[in-house]
Amino acid sequence: MTAGIKIINDWGTVLIDDAFPTLAMLAQGTVTLDSEGSRYIGDHAGSVAVRSTAVVGSQYYNQIDGYPAGLYLFGPPGAVVQWYVYAPPQEPPSSFGLIIRDSAGRLMFDAGRKAARVAGLRSASTRPGWQGSAQFDPGRAWAVMPLVSAFDSVNSFRRWGDPQEYLQYEDVSVSGGAVNGGTITFGMTSTARRTYGPYYGLPLPTGFTYTGNNASLAVLDVTGY
């Protein structure tokens, strides 16, 4: 049934509302970034929070030239990353705890799932070299979730193989965060490379760049997760 409930903390922030879904953990894992500074974590329909001592971010890509569709992490090669994917609670609901649905019967909150516990929000106009930081309780575990990702995508083309064959290289940097105790550092990740092709044709295409200047990030409490 519909609960018609709102839960508000001492600062007036709405934590649970029967009219809006509370994000719940869909998947989680730990990976090490490869020699190019990236790692595929699956085709999950959700938002990614990352926990690493290095600045790490994420981006969703469609399928292209051997790279499957889904979520990719970016950062320095060899970085160890704990990741958490959050999405509106999925049907069927868990078998215990409080379940809240809206007036249309859609699942809004499921106490049996790990909820996204937002502790802070940051926004910035980010360019290479931008960096910011914030302090949180060092006794808790924190992760950074990009809500709006700043990015640089620099694309270049080089001949490879026969005279009409070439490869496309995409050098990617996205906004993200690093967690060191209670210190959260925000900024742009180191550049990771993706390679597409081979393609065929003359003349060799001209390189191009895509950029997104603005970032918005949430800090999540993942203690016990």
Side-chain angles (χ1 to χ4, degrees), residues 1-4 18-20 91 100-108:
M1 69 177 181
T2 301
D18 67 294
F20 299 95
E91 298 282 6
I100 298 175
R101 295 183 181 276
D102 66 7
S103 58
R106 293 171 296 196
L107 187 60
M108 295 289 107

Side-chain angles (χ1 to χ4, degrees), residues 158-177:
R158 297 180 189 173
R159 289 293 177 197
W160 182 83
D162 71 44
Q164 295 193 42
E165 195 172 22
Y166 63 88
L167 296 175
Q168 177 181 348
Y169 300 98
E170 182 186 16
D171 293 322
V172 183
S173 177
V174 299
S175 54

Side-chain angles (χ1 to χ4, degrees), residues 69-218:
L71 293 165
Y72 290 81
L73 304 181
F74 296 110
V80 177
V81 186
Q82 295 172 272
W83 58 269
Y84 313 84
V85 177
Y86 292 90
Q90 307 292 299
E91 298 282 6
S94 57
S95 58
F96 64 94
L98 178 66
I99 301 297
I100 298 175
R101 295 183 181 276
D102 66 7
S103 58
R106 293 171 296 196
L107 187 60
M108 295 289 107
F109 177 78
D110 185 343
R113 307 274 171 79
K114 298 175 181 178
R117 302 181 299 210
V118 178
L121 297 171
R122 294 292 184 275
S123 62
S125 176
T126 64
R127 302 307 311 139
W130 167 81
Q131 196 171 75
S133 64
Q135 296 294 322
F136 291 85
D137 182 353
R140 309 289 292 178
W142 306 104
V144 178
M145 176 189 287
L147 304 175
V148 176
S149 290
F151 62 90
D152 288 294
S153 170
V154 180
N155 293 262
S156 59
F157 301 87
R158 297 180 189 173
R159 289 293 177 197
W160 182 83
D162 71 44
Q164 295 193 42
E165 195 172 22
Y166 63 88
L167 296 175
Q168 177 181 348
Y169 300 98
E170 182 186 16
D171 293 322
V172 183
S173 177
V174 299
S175 54
V179 179
N180 290 278
T183 301
I184 314 296
T185 303
F186 309 100
M188 300 295 286
T189 65
S190 56
T191 300
R193 170 159 287 189
R194 291 163 60 91
T195 304
Y196 311 122
Y199 304 118
Y200 298 86
L202 292 172
L204 189 67
T206 301
F208 60 92
T209 299
Y210 291 121
T211 60
N213 292 339
N214 298 314
S216 177
L217 308 101

